[in-house]
């Protein structure tokens, strides 16, 4: 029968860290894929109206946004407090909407351009005259799929 030596000190084995870089790069890759960056810096404030029935948009890459609302507090000193139109990161006038829509269509593939949806994110306090002007400009540029952004009434 064998004897066990109890006089020797037992040491803890070292931790194997050879797979640690693989785990770190896997996590980094995961967060790079999942995270989306905000494409537009909002220069207008808007509170979306509430609705009772909503539909979720299928492909967000086919959606072009037009923001309408009062300028942010920092910009109100320069721009005033009237509702303004924002296309991408710029304030715009109604006459510039057609060019904007044509540029957005040109950046898409031919089959995606026919499926393009224009989403209007409009402050609930905005006067209907601006909305009507925007809709007329969209009609002239043949952007006939229009979506109104809203929050669900609970």
């Amino acid at each position: 029968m064998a004897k066990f030596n109890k006089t020797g000190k037992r040491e803890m084995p070292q931790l194997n860290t050879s797979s640690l870089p693989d785990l770190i790069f896997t996590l980094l890759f995961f967060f790079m894929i999942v995270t989306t960056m905000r494409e537009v810096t909002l220069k207008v404030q808007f509170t979306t109206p509430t609705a009772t029935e909503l539909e979720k948009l299928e492909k967000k890459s086919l959606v072009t946004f037009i923001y309408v609302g009062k300028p942010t507090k920092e910009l109100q000193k320069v721009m005033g407090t009237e509702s303004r139109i924002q296309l991408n990161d710029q304030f715009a006038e109604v006459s510039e909407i057609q060019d904007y829509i044509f540029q957005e269509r040109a950046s898409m593939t031919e089959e995606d351009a026919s499926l393009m949806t224009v989403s209007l994110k409009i402050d609930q306090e905005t006067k209907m005259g601006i909305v009507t002007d925007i809709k007329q400009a969209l009609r002239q540029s043949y952007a006939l799929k229009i979506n109104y952004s809203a929050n669900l009434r609970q």
Side-chain angles (χ1 to χ4, degrees):
M1 197 175 235
K3 276 189 167 180
F4 292 100
N5 188 6
K6 294 185 179 183
T7 59
K9 260 189 168 177
R10 291 187 185 170
E11 291 187 17
M12 185 70 124
Q14 289 187 348
L15 184 63
N16 185 4
T17 59
S18 62
S19 63
L20 193 59
D22 293 337
L23 292 172
I24 290 172
F25 284 117
T26 302
L27 283 172
L28 179 66
F29 186 70
F30 171 76
F31 286 117
M32 286 173 53
I33 296 294
V34 172
T35 304
T36 58
M37 300 300 238
R38 174 169 249 169
E39 297 171 359
V40 176
T41 303
L42 291 178
K43 295 183 178 180
V44 295
Q45 307 169 12
F46 61 92
T47 306
T48 53
T50 57
T52 55
E53 294 183 28
L54 297 176
E55 280 185 40
K56 192 169 183 170
L57 294 171
E58 295 291 322
K59 271 182 121 179
K60 287 206 173 194
S61 62
L62 301 176
V63 179
T64 301
F65 293 98
I66 296 177
Y67 303 95
V68 181
K70 294 178 183 175
T72 58
K73 293 202 185 265
E74 303 87 40
L75 296 172
Q76 282 182 0
K77 297 171 188 165
V78 178
M79 304 297 293
T81 58
E82 288 295 315
S83 292
R84 300 284 179 172
I85 301 170
Q86 180 181 343
L87 307 174
N88 286 336
D89 288 334
Q90 303 286 329
F91 285 114
E93 298 295 325
V94 176
S95 58
E96 299 173 39
I97 292 176
Q98 283 182 321
D99 294 334
Y100 173 70
I101 295 298
F102 290 134
Q103 287 175 354
E104 290 292 314
R105 272 203 193 115
S107 67
M108 296 180 179
T109 62
E110 193 172 317
E111 56 269 356
D112 286 347
S114 64
L115 299 173
M116 182 178 87
T117 302
V118 178
S119 181
L120 301 177
K121 291 194 171 196
I122 302 173
D123 184 43
Q124 63 186 5
E125 301 294 322
T126 301
K127 295 185 177 172
M128 198 59 195
I130 296 172
V131 178
T132 304
D133 294 342
I134 293 171
K135 286 172 49 177
Q136 290 296 331
L138 292 172
R139 189 174 294 146
Q140 290 171 356
S141 60
Y142 300 105
L144 303 177
K145 284 178 98 175
I146 299 174
N147 171 8
Y148 297 95
S149 296
N151 291 328
L152 184 62
R153 182 179 297 157
Q154 298 189 19

